[in-house]
Amino acid sequence: MANGFSEQIQNRIGNAVDGTIFVNSDFADIADQETVRRTLNRLTQAGMLRRILKGVYEKPKYSELLDEYVAADPDAVAKALARSYHWTIVPCGNTALNLLGLSTQVTAVWFYISDGPYKIYEWSFTKLEFKHRTNKEITGLSYMTSLVIQALKTLGRTNVTPEIIQTLSEKLSDDEKRACLKEATESTNWVYDTIRKMCGGDPQ
């Protein structure tokens, strides 16, 4: 019989959009660790949740078009792990390019830099790789500023075309552009020059 705590946990999951990723700490305000763990296990057995990794669960998302459940979003899983372990993470390499729409190359490995330890997580046909970096590369920067810097570093100076600058300019909101200009001042000169063009709306 569900007690008050497990009902609250179940209600929170029920109100979330399909595809949402949960970790135990997402329910720390409701109940103790053991109650949360038991409740999530029970809801997994009941089919309300799908276990992705140890301590990581998904509210399954069903596609009417595909007539099957959709695979878990690797970026959402990465963010959930970071939330659980109190890491600051930023997508890097081709992962950063993919998330910004600068590459359509599908990769089985999603790369992140992190202020946590080097870790690899795998499930189904997906792999997450977290690479440890010093805090100065990621701390104090908003998510979008960090993502843009990593994408530009992945591309390299000679590969940043006016079209790419335009794409990034259209991707960012005015608030994100203001944050970029303010936060990226310590980045490499060419990276900051590119950000200035991008945030000024000048594709040249």
Side-chain angles (χ1 to χ4, degrees):
M1 187 74 180
N3 60 29
F5 290 138
S6 60
E7 281 180 8
Q8 288 180 61
I9 292 169
Q10 187 166 332
N11 287 340
R12 181 170 292 177
I13 294 166
N15 290 331
V17 298
D18 292 351
T20 299
I21 305 294
F22 295 101
V23 289
N24 292 358
S25 58
D26 291 334
F27 307 97
D29 61 319
I30 295 177
D32 62 84
Q33 186 87 357
E34 183 57 27
T35 300
V36 170
R37 189 186 64 77
R38 281 203 313 266
T39 302
L40 296 183
N41 282 341
R42 181 175 60 77
L43 294 176
T44 300
Q45 290 167 1
M48 187 175 185
L49 287 175
R50 178 165 61 178
R51 185 176 177 273
I52 305 299
L53 296 162
K54 184 179 179 181
V56 181
Y57 304 86
E58 179 200 29
K59 182 182 180 184
K61 182 177 182 179
Y62 190 80
S63 168
E64 297 288 347
L65 180 65
L66 299 174
D67 195 25
E68 62 183 26
Y69 284 102
V70 179
D73 175 9
D75 189 52
V77 174
K79 287 174 179 173
L81 287 165
R83 204 162 61 239
S84 179
Y85 293 113
H86 307 290
W87 299 337
T88 300
I89 65 168
V90 181
C92 63
N94 279 333
T95 303
L97 300 183
N98 273 324
L99 291 172
L100 285 169
L102 299 177
S103 171
T104 55
Q105 182 182 347
V106 178
T107 175
V109 185
W110 289 62
F111 292 103
Y112 295 81
I113 56 173
S114 161
D115 58 2
Y118 177 82
K119 291 288 246 182
I120 290 178
Y121 295 90
E122 294 185 68
W123 74 96
S124 301
F125 300 103
T126 307
K127 180 190 283 190
L128 298 179
E129 185 170 333
F130 296 94
K131 306 173 182 181
H132 178 76
R133 289 291 184 274
T134 55
N135 276 357
K136 69 174 186 175
E137 278 201 57
I138 43 183
T139 303
L141 302 178
S142 63
Y143 178 80
M144 187 56 78
T145 298
S146 302
L147 183 59
V148 167
I149 290 172
Q150 290 303 318
L152 292 174
K153 286 168 71 174
T154 300
L155 287 167
R157 184 175 190 171
T158 56
N159 294 315
V160 178
T161 63
E163 288 76 22
I164 283 173
I165 293 173
Q166 182 66 28
T167 297
L168 288 172
S169 180
E170 292 170 356
K171 185 75 68 174
L172 271 64
S173 68
D174 288 343
D175 285 346
E176 288 168 339
K177 287 176 182 176
R178 279 192 287 271
C180 253
L181 284 170
K182 184 178 179 181
E183 297 168 356
T185 52
E186 298 298 315
S187 56
T188 311
N189 285 342
W190 77 263
V191 168
Y192 192 64
D193 286 345
T194 304
I195 285 172
R196 279 215 320 256
K197 293 174 187 174
M198 182 186 85
C199 295
D202 177 11
Q204 300 305 315

